[in-house]
Each structure stands twice: as structure tokens, then as C-alpha cells.
Amino acid sequence: MSRPRITVINPNSNQVVTDGLAAALKPLMFAEGPEIVCETLKEGPYGIESQKDADSVTLPLRRFVEGDNASSAFVIACYSDPGLHVCREATARPVLGIAECGVLTALTRADMFGVLAIAQRSIRRHIRYLRQMGLMDRLAAERPLDMTVAETASGEGTLAKMIAVGRALKEEDGAGAIVMGCAGMARHRKNLEDALGIPVIDPTQAAVTMALGAVAFAS
């Protein structure tokens, strides 16, 4: 019998981000468990940094999910959770968004959480989502790095900037846990957590962990 598959979809077309996701997910890959495959949405923009970018991948994501009959679960690896509901409408299999899973995981680690956003204009979009989830009273603050998706994935000085902004979230805003608000930040999670001394949540790891449970208990 073939192993069940969890497909992690990077909705932007930056392969460096996809490669970073695959590296961050290695601890969740084991011989007896589901196969975890990271895919790049070729039709996506190079980085999802606006509402327009997020909306542009909604239907391509749905087509991707509808056309994949081999996967047991899907993870949409963008912190805006683009296309989450329209993809869930397209399949009975689990479809998880990393923002939803990342925030829910943070709630199990601290009373108040903070979010590292890539840019100031991302924050309005994220706050709107948190308000829909009814979780604004648990948000300490969200602060921007003022970087692009590509820079967070491979740019120089990214970790130092994340530490500085993360420290402000902890010391000035009272965050007891930090959620990284972009899939491109994945490779920095452990170093950031070591520097800050509080839990740092990589939302893609959080979502895939939940997908592993959903697939395991469905079999």
C-alpha cells in the first residue's frame, strides 16, 4: 500500500521559498508516516504581498486541488491563507491554511501572541483575518520587517531584523509567543526562538503537523 501524501502548496512562484519550506518540514518526515511534498504554484506572483496578489491565486489553487487525486491533505503555505475556503469547497479532503494553524498553535503556547509581518501593508490584511477569527483580544501586536518575500527567504540581514522586531514584540508589546507571518521566514525559526527565549511558531510546520494528525486518524 502506498503512503498517504500531504501536499504543501507555495502559492507564489519563488522556488527558493518552496525549497525553504521543504527544509523546514524535514523533521516531520519519517519513513512510516505520510509523504510530504512541497509544490510551487507556477501561475502565482513572485511574492504574495498585497490583497491583489492573494486574490490572484485563489482559482489557480482551486484548480490545483481539484486536479490532484493522489494527495490525502493539502496545506496552503501563505500567511494570507489565499483560496482556503474555495479549495475546501472543492474537496472533502483536509485543506489547511498556515495562518489559521499558526495562530491556533500560538494560542496553546502563550496567552498573548505577536506576529512578524513582512511589510506594513500586510498587517491590515492579517488583522482583518484575525478579527474574522474572533482572536483580536489575544493579539499583543503585529509589527513589520519592511522586507519583501524574496528578501525574507534569502536576503542578507534577515535574521538580525527578525530578532530586533521580535524583541520589540516581546518586550514592548508583551507577546509570549511569536508567529512568523510569511512562509519565506521558515529557515529562521530556531535561531529566532533561541535569540528571543520564547516560542516561535513557523505556521507551515504548525499546519503540516495538524495535517499529519488528520491523515493518521482518517486511515
Side-chain angles (χ1 to χ4, degrees), residues 80-94:
S80 294
D81 285 354
L84 179 62
H85 299 294
V86 75
C87 287
R88 285 175 173 169
E89 185 180 76
T91 181
R93 293 165 289 173

Side-chain angles (χ1 to χ4, degrees), residues 79-81 98-104 106-107 113-116 122-143 179:
Y79 197 74
S80 294
D81 285 354
I98 67 169
E100 186 173 58
C101 295
V103 168
L104 293 176
L107 296 180
F113 68 93
V115 179
L116 281 174
S122 300
I123 294 178
R124 181 181 298 178
R125 187 167 68 255
H126 298 166
I127 293 297
R128 185 165 59 242
Y129 195 22
L130 287 173
R131 189 178 297 116
Q132 292 170 355
M133 293 175 70
L135 295 175
M136 287 298 296
D137 62 336
R138 300 287 295 276
L139 176 69
E142 179 163 354
R143 289 179 179 249
V179 180

Side-chain angles (χ1 to χ4, degrees), residues 30-219:
F30 48 98
E32 299 80 11
E35 179 185 15
I36 301 171
V37 177
C38 296
E39 300 283 359
T40 303
L41 188 71
K42 304 299 185 185
E43 305 98 308
Y46 196 65
I48 295 180
E49 299 172 0
S50 67
Q51 190 65 55
K52 178 183 177 181
D53 292 336
D55 289 347
S56 74
V57 300
T58 297
L59 293 181
L61 282 168
R62 178 176 173 129
R63 288 193 293 269
F64 186 105
V65 169
E66 286 181 314
D68 181 337
N69 296 314
S71 298
S72 300
F74 301 92
V75 171
I76 299 174
C78 170
Y79 197 74
S80 294
D81 285 354
L84 179 62
H85 299 294
V86 75
C87 287
R88 285 175 173 169
E89 185 180 76
T91 181
R93 293 165 289 173
V95 181
L96 294 94
I98 67 169
E100 186 173 58
C101 295
V103 168
L104 293 176
T105 299
L107 296 180
T108 71
R109 304 296 304 277
D111 180 53
M112 302 291 288
F113 68 93
V115 179
L116 281 174
I118 57 169
Q120 182 66 42
R121 66 176 179 171
S122 300
I123 294 178
R124 181 181 298 178
R125 187 167 68 255
H126 298 166
I127 293 297
R128 185 165 59 242
Y129 195 22
L130 287 173
R131 189 178 297 116
Q132 292 170 355
M133 293 175 70
L135 295 175
M136 287 298 296
D137 62 336
R138 300 287 295 276
L139 176 69
E142 179 163 354
R143 289 179 179 249
L145 297 176
D146 292 322
M147 305 178 78
T148 66
V149 172
E151 286 171 337
T152 63
S154 58
E156 294 295 325
T158 301
L159 178 60
K161 186 69 178 289
M162 292 176 70
I163 291 172
V165 177
R167 188 166 287 129
L169 285 167
K170 173 187 175 181
E171 297 176 358
E172 298 177 29
D173 303 318
I178 303 291
V179 180
M180 300 192 301
C182 176
M185 301 177 189
R187 68 192 180 101
H188 301 296
R189 191 207 68 79
K190 182 64 167 61
N191 289 333
L192 181 60
E193 184 171 89
D194 289 346
L196 296 181
I198 59 175
V200 173
I201 311 300
D202 171 23
T204 306
Q205 290 176 336
V208 172
T209 299
M210 292 186 188
L212 284 168
V215 170
F217 291 117
S219 59

